[in-house]
Amino acid sequence: EIDAEVKAAQERGDKEKAAKMEAKRPLHVDNVCRVAEERTIVNFSSGRADRTVKDGEEFSVDSYMDFKEQHKGLLEEFTNADWEKSHQMLAARGDILLDDCANNYFMLTALEEQMK
């Protein structure tokens, strides 16, 4: 109904009426907004960005085990922390706690707990 009226107004050259009719159109997902630009910005708390590029989804067991041994205390403390403490730990040691190896550690720990 609105489309027909807008089209008729545009054909007559009455752009003002067409704009008013378009403004009366009910809002839904297709006409509320449009995406102008999509991008992801990653900020590194320590300025370290040496592991941002992955060759496929390669998983190095050696680097994971080294990471786990070096940061075992921090990872376990974070796993057992409450909300406030985990927030503080992320702010202070986010470079380690948000690392891919840390993510793998948390997923494997959750899997082990689920299997018990």
Side-chain angles (χ1 to χ4, degrees):
E1 175 182 312
I2 292 176
D3 289 333
E5 291 181 32
V6 169
K7 187 176 180 182
Q10 286 175 343
E11 288 174 356
R12 288 189 305 244
D14 192 358
K15 293 182 180 180
E16 188 176 313
K17 183 175 181 178
K20 284 183 182 178
M21 292 303 298
E22 194 65 40
K24 291 181 181 179
R25 181 181 300 277
L27 299 177
H28 56 81
V29 71
D30 292 328
N31 68 359
V32 173
C33 64
R34 64 178 177 74
V35 176
E37 177 182 15
E38 286 189 26
R39 62 181 170 164
T40 302
I41 299 172
V42 178
N43 294 319
F44 295 94
S45 61
S46 68
R48 193 183 102 201
D50 61 342
R51 288 199 260 190
T52 58
V53 179
K54 295 182 185 178
D55 300 326
E57 286 291 325
E58 197 172 301
F59 179 77
S60 171
V61 175
D62 293 334
S63 66
Y64 169 74
M65 293 305 288
D66 290 342
F67 180 88
K68 184 177 166 184
E69 288 303 315
Q70 288 176 351
H71 305 290
K72 187 161 184 68
L74 179 66
L75 295 170
E76 287 181 0
E77 183 181 357
F78 184 76
T79 302
N80 298 321
D82 63 4
W83 179 259
E84 298 297 324
K85 179 145 177 119
S86 64
H87 180 72
Q88 292 170 355
M89 291 177 73
L90 280 171
R93 304 299 307 266
D95 58 326
I96 295 171
L97 294 171
L98 297 176
D99 191 271
D100 286 339
C101 289
N103 185 44
N104 292 335
Y105 172 82
F106 296 133
M107 288 193 300
L108 290 171
T109 301
L111 182 62
E112 287 174 7
E113 291 297 320
Q114 183 70 30
M115 291 173 48
K116 287 184 181 179

mmCIF file of all heavy atoms in Angstrom, residues 70-96:
data_model
loop_
_atom_site.group_PDB
_atom_site.id
_atom_site.type_symbol
_atom_site.label_atom_id
_atom_site.label_comp_id
_atom_site.label_asym_id
_atom_site.label_seq_id
_atom_site.Cartn_x
_atom_site.Cartn_y
_atom_site.Cartn_z
ATOM 1 N N GLN A 70 54.387 -22.353 32.427
ATOM 2 C CA GLN A 70 54.821 -21.019 32.823
ATOM 3 C C GLN A 70 53.751 -20.271 33.618
ATOM 4 O O GLN A 70 54.068 -19.514 34.519
ATOM 5 C CB GLN A 70 55.176 -20.176 31.596
ATOM 6 C CG GLN A 70 56.443 -20.575 30.923
ATOM 7 C CD GLN A 70 56.677 -19.754 29.654
ATOM 8 O OE1 GLN A 70 55.814 -19.015 29.208
ATOM 9 N NE2 GLN A 70 57.862 -19.923 29.083
ATOM 10 N N HIS A 71 52.480 -20.488 33.280
ATOM 11 C CA HIS A 71 51.402 -19.686 33.856
ATOM 12 C C HIS A 71 50.378 -20.518 34.627
ATOM 13 O O HIS A 71 49.257 -20.079 34.830
ATOM 14 C CB HIS A 71 50.689 -18.911 32.743
ATOM 15 C CG HIS A 71 51.614 -18.080 31.921
ATOM 16 N ND1 HIS A 71 52.226 -16.956 32.398
ATOM 17 C CD2 HIS A 71 52.045 -18.229 30.641
ATOM 18 C CE1 HIS A 71 52.984 -16.429 31.454
ATOM 19 N NE2 HIS A 71 52.902 -17.188 30.378
ATOM 20 N N LYS A 72 50.765 -21.699 35.076
ATOM 21 C CA LYS A 72 49.819 -22.612 35.725
ATOM 22 C C LYS A 72 49.142 -21.975 36.942
ATOM 23 O O LYS A 72 47.930 -22.072 37.093
ATOM 24 C CB LYS A 72 50.515 -23.900 36.129
ATOM 25 C CG LYS A 72 49.538 -24.957 36.646
ATOM 26 C CD LYS A 72 50.167 -26.312 36.579
ATOM 27 C CE LYS A 72 49.214 -27.399 36.976
ATOM 28 N NZ LYS A 72 48.117 -27.621 36.070
ATOM 29 N N GLY A 73 49.914 -21.308 37.788
ATOM 30 C CA GLY A 73 49.347 -20.686 38.979
ATOM 31 C C GLY A 73 48.319 -19.622 38.638
ATOM 32 O O GLY A 73 47.226 -19.567 39.229
ATOM 33 N N LEU A 74 48.639 -18.774 37.679
ATOM 34 C CA LEU A 74 47.718 -17.705 37.262
ATOM 35 C C LEU A 74 46.445 -18.287 36.651
ATOM 36 O O LEU A 74 45.336 -17.834 36.958
ATOM 37 C CB LEU A 74 48.410 -16.778 36.260
ATOM 38 C CG LEU A 74 47.568 -15.638 35.711
ATOM 39 C CD1 LEU A 74 47.226 -14.645 36.815
ATOM 40 C CD2 LEU A 74 48.296 -14.950 34.578
ATOM 41 N N LEU A 75 46.587 -19.302 35.809
ATOM 42 C CA LEU A 75 45.421 -19.912 35.169
ATOM 43 C C LEU A 75 44.502 -20.572 36.186
ATOM 44 O O LEU A 75 43.282 -20.433 36.116
ATOM 45 C CB LEU A 75 45.876 -20.930 34.121
ATOM 46 C CG LEU A 75 46.634 -20.357 32.923
ATOM 47 C CD1 LEU A 75 47.231 -21.479 32.091
ATOM 48 C CD2 LEU A 75 45.750 -19.466 32.081
ATOM 49 N N GLU A 76 45.080 -21.272 37.163
ATOM 50 C CA GLU A 76 44.253 -21.914 38.189
ATOM 51 C C GLU A 76 43.600 -20.879 39.086
ATOM 52 O O GLU A 76 42.438 -21.028 39.489
ATOM 53 C CB GLU A 76 45.097 -22.893 38.997
ATOM 54 C CG GLU A 76 45.431 -24.144 38.216
ATOM 55 C CD GLU A 76 46.261 -25.136 39.025
ATOM 56 O OE1 GLU A 76 46.586 -24.860 40.196
ATOM 57 O OE2 GLU A 76 46.587 -26.190 38.463
ATOM 58 N N GLU A 77 44.344 -19.814 39.419
ATOM 59 C CA GLU A 77 43.768 -18.752 40.250
ATOM 60 C C GLU A 77 42.590 -18.100 39.534
ATOM 61 O O GLU A 77 41.552 -17.835 40.132
ATOM 62 C CB GLU A 77 44.843 -17.701 40.556
ATOM 63 C CG GLU A 77 44.358 -16.591 41.464
ATOM 64 C CD GLU A 77 45.432 -15.557 41.722
ATOM 65 O OE1 GLU A 77 46.574 -15.706 41.247
ATOM 66 O OE2 GLU A 77 45.111 -14.570 42.416
ATOM 67 N N PHE A 78 42.732 -17.866 38.231
ATOM 68 C CA PHE A 78 41.643 -17.262 37.460
ATOM 69 C C PHE A 78 40.449 -18.198 37.367
ATOM 70 O O PHE A 78 39.303 -17.764 37.443
ATOM 71 C CB PHE A 78 42.136 -16.897 36.057
ATOM 72 C CG PHE A 78 41.108 -16.177 35.236
ATOM 73 C CD1 PHE A 78 40.838 -14.837 35.465
ATOM 74 C CD2 PHE A 78 40.411 -16.833 34.237
ATOM 75 C CE1 PHE A 78 39.890 -14.166 34.719
ATOM 76 C CE2 PHE A 78 39.462 -16.174 33.483
ATOM 77 C CZ PHE A 78 39.197 -14.836 33.719
ATOM 78 N N THR A 79 40.715 -19.485 37.212
ATOM 79 C CA THR A 79 39.633 -20.469 37.119
ATOM 80 C C THR A 79 38.790 -20.489 38.388
ATOM 81 O O THR A 79 37.568 -20.638 38.332
ATOM 82 C CB THR A 79 40.215 -21.880 36.863
ATOM 83 O OG1 THR A 79 40.982 -21.845 35.662
ATOM 84 C CG2 THR A 79 39.118 -22.910 36.728
ATOM 85 N N ASN A 80 39.421 -20.302 39.541
ATOM 86 C CA ASN A 80 38.712 -20.362 40.816
ATOM 87 C C ASN A 80 38.295 -18.993 41.345
ATOM 88 O O ASN A 80 37.736 -18.900 42.440
ATOM 89 C CB ASN A 80 39.591 -21.060 41.860
ATOM 90 C CG ASN A 80 39.885 -22.485 41.458
ATOM 91 O OD1 ASN A 80 39.035 -23.182 40.929
ATOM 92 N ND2 ASN A 80 41.109 -22.916 41.691
ATOM 93 N N ALA A 81 38.536 -17.929 40.604
ATOM 94 C CA ALA A 81 38.248 -16.571 41.071
ATOM 95 C C ALA A 81 36.764 -16.249 40.974
ATOM 96 O O ALA A 81 36.048 -16.782 40.125
ATOM 97 C CB ALA A 81 39.051 -15.564 40.254
ATOM 98 N N ASP A 82 36.308 -15.347 41.858
ATOM 99 C CA ASP A 82 34.938 -14.844 41.759
ATOM 100 C C ASP A 82 34.904 -13.715 40.721
ATOM 101 O O ASP A 82 35.910 -13.382 40.100
ATOM 102 C CB ASP A 82 34.427 -14.375 43.122
ATOM 103 C CG ASP A 82 35.229 -13.208 43.692
ATOM 104 O OD1 ASP A 82 36.132 -12.694 43.017
ATOM 105 O OD2 ASP A 82 34.934 -12.805 44.824
ATOM 106 N N TRP A 83 33.743 -13.114 40.540
ATOM 107 C CA TRP A 83 33.549 -12.100 39.503
ATOM 108 C C TRP A 83 34.496 -10.911 39.676
ATOM 109 O O TRP A 83 35.130 -10.479 38.729
ATOM 110 C CB TRP A 83 32.090 -11.643 39.523
ATOM 111 C CG TRP A 83 31.795 -10.588 38.528
ATOM 112 C CD1 TRP A 83 31.672 -9.253 38.747
ATOM 113 C CD2 TRP A 83 31.614 -10.769 37.120
ATOM 114 N NE1 TRP A 83 31.420 -8.596 37.582
ATOM 115 C CE2 TRP A 83 31.377 -9.502 36.565
ATOM 116 C CE3 TRP A 83 31.635 -11.872 36.279
ATOM 117 C CZ2 TRP A 83 31.155 -9.311 35.213
ATOM 118 C CZ3 TRP A 83 31.406 -11.667 34.935
ATOM 119 C CH2 TRP A 83 31.169 -10.412 34.411
ATOM 120 N N GLU A 84 34.557 -10.358 40.870
ATOM 121 C CA GLU A 84 35.390 -9.176 41.127
ATOM 122 C C GLU A 84 36.867 -9.477 40.879
ATOM 123 O O GLU A 84 37.569 -8.713 40.225
ATOM 124 C CB GLU A 84 35.192 -8.685 42.561
ATOM 125 C CG GLU A 84 33.777 -8.238 42.873
ATOM 126 C CD GLU A 84 33.345 -7.042 42.053
ATOM 127 O OE1 GLU A 84 34.186 -6.168 41.778
ATOM 128 O OE2 GLU A 84 32.165 -6.993 41.678
ATOM 129 N N LYS A 85 37.317 -10.588 41.421
ATOM 130 C CA LYS A 85 38.727 -10.945 41.285
ATOM 131 C C LYS A 85 39.087 -11.237 39.831
ATOM 132 O O LYS A 85 40.148 -10.826 39.348
ATOM 133 C CB LYS A 85 39.060 -12.142 42.166
ATOM 134 C CG LYS A 85 40.503 -12.576 42.054
ATOM 135 C CD LYS A 85 41.027 -13.079 43.342
ATOM 136 C CE LYS A 85 42.439 -13.558 43.125
ATOM 137 N NZ LYS A 85 43.379 -12.858 43.900
ATOM 138 N N SER A 86 38.205 -11.929 39.113
ATOM 139 C CA SER A 86 38.486 -12.228 37.713
ATOM 140 C C SER A 86 38.548 -10.943 36.888
ATOM 141 O O SER A 86 39.380 -10.821 35.984
ATOM 142 C CB SER A 86 37.452 -13.192 37.136
ATOM 143 O OG SER A 86 36.175 -12.605 37.114
ATOM 144 N N HIS A 87 37.705 -9.976 37.226
ATOM 145 C CA HIS A 87 37.741 -8.685 36.527
ATOM 146 C C HIS A 87 39.080 -7.983 36.762
ATOM 147 O O HIS A 87 39.690 -7.467 35.818
ATOM 148 C CB HIS A 87 36.580 -7.812 37.010
ATOM 149 C CG HIS A 87 36.519 -6.471 36.353
ATOM 150 N ND1 HIS A 87 36.132 -6.311 35.055
ATOM 151 C CD2 HIS A 87 36.822 -5.244 36.822
ATOM 152 C CE1 HIS A 87 36.190 -5.032 34.747
ATOM 153 N NE2 HIS A 87 36.599 -4.360 35.799
ATOM 154 N N GLN A 88 39.544 -7.997 37.993
ATOM 155 C CA GLN A 88 40.826 -7.383 38.323
ATOM 156 C C GLN A 88 41.977 -8.114 37.634
ATOM 157 O O GLN A 88 42.914 -7.485 37.117
ATOM 158 C CB GLN A 88 41.050 -7.387 39.835
ATOM 159 C CG GLN A 88 40.122 -6.480 40.595
ATOM 160 C CD GLN A 88 40.213 -6.698 42.096
ATOM 161 O OE1 GLN A 88 40.916 -7.595 42.561
ATOM 162 N NE2 GLN A 88 39.488 -5.891 42.844
ATOM 163 N N MET A 89 41.898 -9.430 37.613
ATOM 164 C CA MET A 89 42.957 -10.213 36.983
ATOM 165 C C MET A 89 43.013 -9.971 35.477
ATOM 166 O O MET A 89 44.089 -9.888 34.890
ATOM 167 C CB MET A 89 42.765 -11.704 37.276
ATOM 168 C CG MET A 89 42.996 -12.064 38.730
ATOM 169 S SD MET A 89 42.675 -13.797 39.057
ATOM 170 C CE MET A 89 44.105 -14.542 38.282
ATOM 171 N N LEU A 90 41.849 -9.852 34.846
ATOM 172 C CA LEU A 90 41.823 -9.569 33.407
ATOM 173 C C LEU A 90 42.418 -8.204 33.105
ATOM 174 O O LEU A 90 43.116 -8.034 32.110
ATOM 175 C CB LEU A 90 40.394 -9.647 32.877
ATOM 176 C CG LEU A 90 39.873 -11.045 32.609
ATOM 177 C CD1 LEU A 90 38.387 -11.006 32.307
ATOM 178 C CD2 LEU A 90 40.628 -11.689 31.463
ATOM 179 N N ALA A 91 42.134 -7.231 33.970
ATOM 180 C CA ALA A 91 42.693 -5.893 33.755
ATOM 181 C C ALA A 91 44.214 -5.905 33.927
ATOM 182 O O ALA A 91 44.937 -5.246 33.180
ATOM 183 C CB ALA A 91 42.047 -4.905 34.713
ATOM 184 N N ALA A 92 44.693 -6.658 34.898
ATOM 185 C CA ALA A 92 46.127 -6.669 35.189
ATOM 186 C C ALA A 92 46.916 -7.608 34.280
ATOM 187 O O ALA A 92 48.014 -7.280 33.841
ATOM 188 C CB ALA A 92 46.350 -7.066 36.648
ATOM 189 N N ARG A 93 46.373 -8.790 33.974
ATOM 190 C CA ARG A 93 47.113 -9.820 33.232
ATOM 191 C C ARG A 93 46.349 -10.307 32.004
ATOM 192 O O ARG A 93 46.415 -11.470 31.635
ATOM 193 C CB ARG A 93 47.405 -11.013 34.146
ATOM 194 C CG ARG A 93 48.148 -10.725 35.434
ATOM 195 C CD ARG A 93 49.527 -10.125 35.222
ATOM 196 N NE ARG A 93 50.400 -10.864 34.339
ATOM 197 C CZ ARG A 93 51.290 -11.760 34.731
ATOM 198 N NH1 ARG A 93 51.437 -12.027 36.004
ATOM 199 N NH2 ARG A 93 52.037 -12.379 33.846
ATOM 200 N N GLY A 94 45.605 -9.411 31.366
ATOM 201 C CA GLY A 94 44.805 -9.778 30.193
ATOM 202 C C GLY A 94 45.621 -10.326 29.046
ATOM 203 O O GLY A 94 45.135 -11.155 28.275
ATOM 204 N N ASP A 95 46.874 -9.884 28.920
ATOM 205 C CA ASP A 95 47.719 -10.384 27.837
ATOM 206 C C ASP A 95 47.928 -11.891 27.932
ATOM 207 O O ASP A 95 48.007 -12.578 26.922
ATOM 208 C CB ASP A 95 49.062 -9.658 27.819
ATOM 209 C CG ASP A 95 49.823 -9.786 29.135
ATOM 210 O OD1 ASP A 95 49.174 -9.826 30.193
ATOM 211 O OD2 ASP A 95 51.065 -9.825 29.096
ATOM 212 N N ILE A 96 47.977 -12.404 29.152
ATOM 213 C CA ILE A 96 48.159 -13.852 29.345
ATOM 214 C C ILE A 96 46.812 -14.561 29.362
ATOM 215 O O ILE A 96 46.629 -15.586 28.702
ATOM 216 C CB ILE A 96 48.924 -14.130 30.655
ATOM 217 C CG1 ILE A 96 50.339 -13.571 30.542
ATOM 218 C CG2 ILE A 96 48.950 -15.620 30.971
ATOM 219 C CD1 ILE A 96 51.107 -13.580 31.827
#
